[in-house]
Amino acid sequence: MRTLPVGDRALLVEFGSGEETEAFHAELLRRRAAGALPAVTEVVPAARTVLLDGVEAPERLAALVAGWEIEPLHARVDPVVEIPVRYDGPDLPDVAALWGVPPADVAAVHSAAEFRVAFCGFAPGFGYLTGLPEAYEVPRRATPRTAVPAGAVAMAGPYTGVYPRSSPGGWQLIGTTDAVLWDPAREPAALLSPGTRVRFVPRGVGAR
C-alpha cells in the first residue's frame, strides 16, 4: 500500500494488484457503514487505486489506513446480482478458440464464475468485473467496432463488462442481456456499483 496526498483534502491509495484494491475498497465501505471511518465525501476505486476525496486530514487518514488489517474478499457474504445472458455474441467462437474449448462450452465456463465489480467507468452504469481465472483472460479486438449495442456482454483482459448503451468498443462480444444497467428513473440508477457480486445466468441461445 502506498498513500499519496491529492491537493489539500484528498488521498490516493495505491496497491500492487486489483485483488488488493478490491479488498481495501470493500473494507472502506464496511467501516463507513459501521461509522468507523473518518469523514470522506467520495470513495472512488479504480484498477489499482482508491481515491478518498473530501478528507479533513489526509495525513492522519493515511496513517490510519496503513494500520488496518484488511480481510480477504472471499470472507465477505454480500447479495448477488444475477444477469441473464444469451451467449450468442459474434466473438464467441474466437474466445472459445483462445480458451481451447468448443464454442458451446464458453457459456458454461463464463457462467460458472462469480464476479465482483472492481470499479466503474467508461460510461454510466458500466462496471469492470473480475472473477475469471487468469487463464481465461482474452485480448481486446485488433480492430474496435464503431458501434457495440446496448446489453452486449463483453470481455477484455481480466475484465467482463456489459455495455449500458450503444457505443464504440474493442472488447470481445460473447453474449447479450436485456438487463438495464443504467436507468436515471431508478434509485440507484446503476444496477452495478463497486463491490457488487455478480453472476451471469445462461438463457436461450448458447445456454447449457
Side-chain angles (χ1 to χ4, degrees):
M1 178 191 299
R2 184 169 74 132
T3 57
L4 299 168
V6 180
D8 296 328
R9 295 179 59 82
L11 183 71
L12 187 70
V13 187
E14 293 185 337
F15 296 89
S17 71
E19 291 79 6
E20 292 174 311
T21 307
E22 290 181 58
F24 177 75
H25 176 251
E27 184 70 16
L28 279 171
L29 298 185
R30 186 187 70 78
R31 288 175 182 259
R32 185 161 69 173
L37 181 69
V40 175
T41 304
E42 295 288 342
V43 177
V44 185
R48 297 289 186 274
T49 63
V50 179
L51 177 68
L52 306 176
D53 197 9
V55 179
E56 291 185 2
E59 291 185 2
R60 190 183 313 153
L61 182 58
L64 177 66
V65 300
W68 284 358
E69 182 176 342
I70 301 172
E71 61 180 292
L73 285 172
H74 62 72
R76 298 178 172 86
V77 179
D78 304 309
V80 177
V81 173
E82 293 190 345
I83 297 179
V85 180
R86 296 180 297 278
Y87 284 91
D88 56 1
D91 299 322
L92 190 142
D94 294 335
V95 171
L98 289 166
W99 288 359
V101 301
D105 286 355
V106 171
V109 172
H110 190 258
S111 62
E114 182 180 292
F115 295 84
R116 182 178 290 270
V117 182
F119 57 98
C120 295
F122 166 63
F126 187 91
Y128 290 78
L129 281 63
T130 58
L132 279 176
E134 186 176 349
Y136 293 114
E137 293 183 10
V138 297
R140 294 171 58 92
R141 286 173 49 85
T143 303
R145 292 180 170 89
T146 57
V148 175
V153 179
M155 298 177 59
Y159 302 114
T160 290
V162 181
Y163 283 77
R165 65 187 185 194
S166 178
S167 63
W171 289 28
Q172 307 280 357
L173 307 185
I174 61 171
T176 54
T177 180
D178 294 326
V180 179
L181 277 294
W182 179 262
D183 181 359
R186 183 174 60 197
E187 181 58 42
L191 178 65
L192 306 179
S193 59
T196 302
R197 294 166 62 204
V198 178
R199 279 196 176 275
F200 292 97
V201 181
R203 293 286 188 269
V205 178
R208 298 186 62 188

